[in-house]
Amino acid sequence: MTLKSFASKHKKEASDMLLEGAPAKAVAAKFGVHVSTIYELRKDMGHGHTKADRASHVVTLRLSDDEFRALNAFVADAGLPSRTAALRSLIRAATGFLELRREEYLDLSEARTELKAQGRNLNQIAFALNKAALKGEARLTEQDKGFLADVKRSYAALDARLSAAFREVRQKGRAALHAGDRP
């Protein structure tokens, strides 16, 4: 349906569709308006972002020259990608939400990279053993198979825990901040 004007009744219907989880592009297509019109409607209706963990509010502030230099120094010292990331980090820290220092985050990333490398090594070992067993060049005892199964279970459990910790670090503070709840 293409509309000559996006009337209040259409806005209400479009708003309801957004609240039900319809993508902005689909809503725009249904009413024959540009997707930016739907994003503006979502903003005007106070719906925020469709994904709960996404930033949806713009904050504008003015800083003195000294404050601006201090913010830039903080960005550089913390190794953050932008002033926006620095301000988010400061807000989370000031309001008690989970936030790791850059070094801790990098340590977690390094541990995950190492774990993935170990997983590749385990896969190569298993591939070589299976290939040798198929050719009749090697025999795996039940004890060997049990050991490999234990290693696989341990690896999977460690990977799951590390992945969960990684997700928590990236999401918990942001989700709590967006929900407006303090721990």
Side-chain angles (χ1 to χ4, degrees):
M1 146 178 32
T2 301
L3 301 174
K4 288 188 179 187
S5 69
F6 196 45
S8 295
K9 69 178 185 175
H10 299 119
K11 289 180 182 179
K12 172 71 172 120
E13 188 179 343
S15 175
D16 290 343
M17 289 177 66
L18 288 170
L19 288 173
E20 291 171 4
K25 287 182 182 180
V27 176
K30 176 176 180 179
F31 292 101
V33 296
H34 194 272
V35 71
S36 64
T37 304
I38 300 303
Y39 288 134
E40 189 64 29
L41 171 69
R42 185 175 67 195
K43 180 178 149 192
D44 291 344
M45 300 297 272
H47 297 330
H49 203 282
T50 55
K51 295 179 182 173
D53 65 342
R54 296 286 299 268
S56 59
H57 301 280
V58 175
V59 176
T60 304
L61 70 138
R62 294 191 180 276
L63 300 173
S64 69
D65 289 340
D66 289 340
E67 291 169 330
F68 190 71
R69 281 192 295 279
L71 178 60
N72 285 335
F74 176 71
V75 169
D77 291 344
L80 295 166
S82 67
R83 287 187 290 270
T84 298
L87 289 172
R88 278 194 190 120
S89 177
L90 291 169
I91 290 167
R92 289 180 188 141
T95 53
F97 296 116
L98 177 65
E99 186 74 22
L100 289 181
R101 291 188 349 261
R102 176 125 175 103
E103 300 83 29
E104 294 168 333
Y105 185 80
L106 291 174
D107 287 346
L108 186 58
S109 295
E110 186 178 328
R112 192 168 194 207
T113 300
E114 180 60 29
L115 183 63
K116 286 181 180 181
Q118 295 301 322
R120 285 190 297 274
N121 290 345
L122 288 171
N123 282 337
Q124 290 173 352
I125 291 168
F127 179 79
L129 287 172
N130 285 331
K131 186 176 178 182
L134 285 174
K135 290 181 178 180
E137 297 171 3
R139 291 206 173 241
L140 294 177
T141 65
E142 289 305 314
Q143 185 179 7
D144 293 335
K145 290 177 184 177
F147 172 76
L148 291 173
D150 287 344
V151 168
K152 181 179 178 180
R153 274 191 301 277
S154 297
Y155 173 82
L158 182 58
D159 183 48
R161 286 186 180 136
L162 191 55
S163 294
F166 206 85
R167 277 191 307 277
E168 180 181 1
V169 166
R170 295 183 53 90
Q171 299 294 332
K172 187 175 182 182
R174 186 167 38 181
L177 185 59
H178 287 297
D181 298 328
R182 286 185 175 224

